[in-house]
Amino acid sequence: MMNRKLWKASGRLMTTVLAASLTLLAPGWGAAAAGKDPLTDNRPLYELHTLAGTGEIGLVDGANGSVAFRMPGGLTAAGEDRLYVADTGNQRIRRVSGTSTSSLAGLDLGEDAYGNLIGAWNDGLRESAAFDDIAGLALDAAGAIIAADAGNHAIRRITADGQATTIAGNGVQGWQDGDGEQASFHRPQAVAVAPGGIIYVADTLNHVIRKIEQGRVTTLTAPSTRIVEYFSGAIAAAGDYADGPIAAAKFNEPSGLALDAKGNLYVSDTGNQVIRYIDFGAGTVSTVAGSRLRYEAATSFAEGGYADGPAATARFYAPRGLAVTPEGGVLIADSLNHAIRYLKDGVVSTVAGTPGTTGKSDGLASYAGLNTPTAIAQLGDGSYAIADTANNRIRLLTPYRLPAGVIADDSIKLLYGQERVATDAAPRIVSGTTFVPVRVIAERLGYQVVHDAKSGQVTVSREGMSYQLKAGALIVQRGEGGARADVALHAAPFIEQGRLYLPVRFFAEEIGLDVQWLSSVRAVLLRERLG
């Protein structure tokens, strides 16, 4: 019999918005890029595309370009062509293939007074299964979905044919260890499944990490005893922070989990704005990224922020979903920074999104937009799916791949996106600055190039915009609609074998291209920033 719940959990998840404007430093080019290999260093070159969803809020199945989601909040993948989505606001599990999206399980009970779809708790097959604010997902060894059913305070299992059963929890919030329905949770947000079948649970509003082994739930970490007084007479329990032995470690709204190759567990400690690491062999919990600020007296959470760099001084704002990469790094859905961050070798960098700014544009990942990403899942072949929650889309993060035939040798190549630009005059690196032949790259970009042999002046023009430059001159004159302005170069153009060479940085700043130096194959890569 269906146990329909007409209440929602009273616990408060972090939903604050970013108030401060944060700035992303653009990727290096020219001299700054020389010696760095973006294909192999700490910041891979990614591109961001839309895999499924129009962005309109709703419930629509069909071709990926026309489907609709409602605040998707969890992902797990079974290979490159089967992605499962916790469509949280639609109270459903959806399945995304390379071309289409369908509903796997979930029940429609109508809307509540606020226009939200009503959640419920019921085991059963496909349309008779019911969920309530379903969140984090993982796969077990049999290929079934293990789900954190947050609003039902339960851990569920959904098979490939849509059969839902309850592993642990009883639909009532609480904190109790035990077998199956004897156990209780408080809005669990994430799960991870070890190869041996152990299920780890981020029991978010209990502020602890739990374990389910052979159906029995136990608590691994220490409870928080911290009390916050928001204002006089208004008090509430809150999470806390402590590294050390696992049994003594404390968390604050943990909401993301990922197992590494050693079987140890990365945790997004969301309320503490840090990434933690549970080493089961050593029996310890440590902070591996993020600089947690002290709690204020009337604050449940540590202050969020944004900073790349050494892991100990990096800053996050409500980190959520995690994915361990084959290279041993960790991708982090930094939800309220609206970015995907990357932790590798003790350094945090930003690989997608414009921190502090919401957006939905596709293109180069460093310039594309996200809005509250909460989950990330590895698809294979270096690609990852992202639950772009507030955009109601599933996004695809893919690595840049070299054009066929581009290999390491002594020549310097010129690449434009996936194309190798043919030229009989190769790019040059002089005193750490990368130069390209003006005519070759300008004509490839659709500009006309006119050389005045008498004055030595070269004019590059397109659609009412023109640039006039000369060898040895550090000033380029820009013209647009009759207006003139001087543009300063950081290195002067030069002529070699009858060709004028210009610093590649000029194209990045004036034409809006992203420019990278790929040292592994000795190539200059130019790409359009937005798709």
Side-chain angles (χ1 to χ4, degrees):
M1 179 177 179
M2 183 175 299
N3 177 17
R4 177 172 171 176
K5 304 197 299 19
L6 300 181
W7 49 266
K8 293 287 183 181
S10 60
R12 183 170 69 91
L13 289 173
M14 177 177 284
T15 57
T16 54
V17 297
L18 185 61
S21 176
L22 303 171
T23 303
L24 172 66
L25 296 177
W29 52 71
K36 292 286 284 181
D37 181 1
L39 295 179
T40 59
D41 73 3
N42 195 63
R43 184 186 60 201
L45 293 179
Y46 284 110
E47 296 173 1
L48 190 63
H49 308 281
T50 298
L51 176 61
T54 63
E56 296 295 322
I57 194 165
L59 175 61
V60 179
D61 285 337
N64 285 338
S66 61
V67 300
F69 298 91
R70 189 186 297 264
M71 305 294 283
L75 299 173
T76 191
E80 297 179 30
D81 196 43
R82 190 165 33 138
L83 177 70
Y84 295 110
V85 179
D87 194 1
T88 308
N90 278 322
Q91 313 292 6
R92 281 170 172 77
I93 300 290
R94 312 280 291 279
R95 180 165 48 197
V96 180
S97 71
T99 59
S100 63
T101 296
S102 58
S103 295
L104 176 64
L107 181 64
D108 189 353
L109 292 171
E111 297 181 353
D112 63 17
Y114 302 97
N116 300 313
L117 296 190
I118 296 171
W121 176 31
N122 193 59
D123 288 340
L125 183 62
R126 299 182 71 85
E127 292 86 355
S128 65
F131 309 99
D132 192 354
D133 290 349
I134 195 161
L137 306 179
L139 290 181
D140 67 13
I145 302 165
I146 306 300
D149 192 358
N152 281 322
H153 315 289
I155 307 303
R156 313 287 293 281
R157 185 176 190 267
I158 305 98
T159 61
D161 61 358
Q163 177 74 44
T165 56
T166 300
I167 296 173
N170 52 32
V172 179
Q173 73 179 55
W175 179 14
Q176 178 67 47
D177 287 342
D179 294 325
E181 292 190 6
Q182 296 176 356
S184 57
F185 301 87
H186 193 178
R187 291 195 71 86
Q189 289 287 315
V191 289
V193 182
I198 293 175
I199 301 171
Y200 296 103
V201 180
D203 193 1
T204 304
L205 290 184
N206 278 326
H207 310 292
V208 292
I209 306 301
R210 315 283 291 277
K211 178 178 75 170
I212 305 174
E213 187 171 12
Q214 296 181 347
R216 182 166 184 79
V217 178
T218 55
T219 301
L220 301 179
T221 60
S224 170
T225 57
R226 190 168 72 96
I227 299 296
V228 172
E229 185 174 16
Y230 294 104
F231 52 88
S232 181
I235 63 172
D240 209 336
Y241 172 84
D243 281 339
I246 294 174
K250 294 182 179 182
F251 292 83
N252 189 345
E253 294 195 6
S255 60
L257 299 176
L259 286 159
D260 68 6
K262 298 177 182 178
N264 295 322
L265 196 63
Y266 284 97
V267 182
S268 276
D269 192 2
T270 305
N272 282 319
Q273 317 292 358
V274 295
I275 306 302
R276 314 283 290 280
Y277 186 69
I278 302 178
D279 187 326
F280 293 109
T284 59
V285 174
S286 59
T287 299
V288 293
S291 51
R292 189 188 71 88
L293 301 181
R294 292 182 180 275
Y295 297 125
E296 298 294 334
T299 304
S300 294
F301 313 116
E303 181 181 343
Y306 171 78
D308 279 341
T313 58
R315 300 286 305 281
F316 300 93
Y317 198 174
R320 296 284 301 274
L322 304 172
V324 175
T325 70
E327 299 78 23
V330 183
L331 287 167
I332 303 156
D334 193 5
S335 67
L336 293 184
N337 274 325
H338 313 293
I340 303 299
R341 314 287 292 283
Y342 185 50
L343 169 63
K344 179 73 164 56
D345 298 330
V347 177
V348 173
S349 55
T350 300
V351 297
T354 306
T357 302
T358 63
K360 57 185 178 181
S361 57
D362 288 337
L364 301 192
S366 295
Y367 302 95
L370 295 163
N371 191 347
T372 321
T374 58
I376 186 164
Q378 182 180 347
L379 297 178
D381 197 26
S383 297
Y384 296 84
I386 299 168
D388 193 6
T389 303
N391 276 330
N392 301 299
R393 286 182 166 101
I394 307 302
R395 309 293 288 280
L396 182 64
L397 189 67
T398 60
Y400 172 76
R401 292 181 174 84
L402 291 167
V406 173
I407 60 174
D409 55 29
D410 292 336
S411 67
I412 298 179
K413 300 92 177 164
L414 183 59
L415 309 178
Y416 182 69
Q418 292 300 122
E419 171 193 349
R420 180 171 181 175
V421 180
T423 173
D424 59 355
R428 293 286 308 278
I429 298 176
V430 179
S431 300
T433 297
T434 305
F435 291 80
V436 293
V438 172
R439 183 176 296 276
V440 169
I441 189 60
E443 290 182 348
R444 176 59 187 82
L445 295 172
Y447 286 78
Q448 291 184 328
V449 180
V450 177
H451 178 223
D452 186 331
K454 184 176 180 179
S455 66
Q457 181 172 277
V458 173
T459 301
V460 179
S461 61
R462 185 182 73 176
E463 298 174 354
M465 177 74 74
S466 66
Y467 298 92
Q468 294 179 344
L469 55 141
K470 292 179 67 174
L474 285 170
I475 298 296
V476 174
Q477 189 175 76
R478 178 178 59 202
E480 183 177 13
R484 297 286 175 180
D486 289 341
V487 178
L489 299 175
H490 75 288
F494 62 86
I495 294 176
E496 185 175 280
Q497 296 182 348
R499 295 172 177 84
L500 182 66
Y501 284 75
L502 186 68
V504 71
R505 179 173 179 175
F506 170 82
F507 291 100
E509 294 179 338
E510 286 295 314
I511 305 176
L513 296 179
D514 178 75
V515 184
Q516 301 284 342
W517 167 247
L518 309 185
S519 63
S520 61
V521 291
R522 292 176 59 80
V524 177
L525 171 63
L526 297 93
R527 297 182 297 168
E528 302 287 345
R529 294 180 182 180
L530 297 177

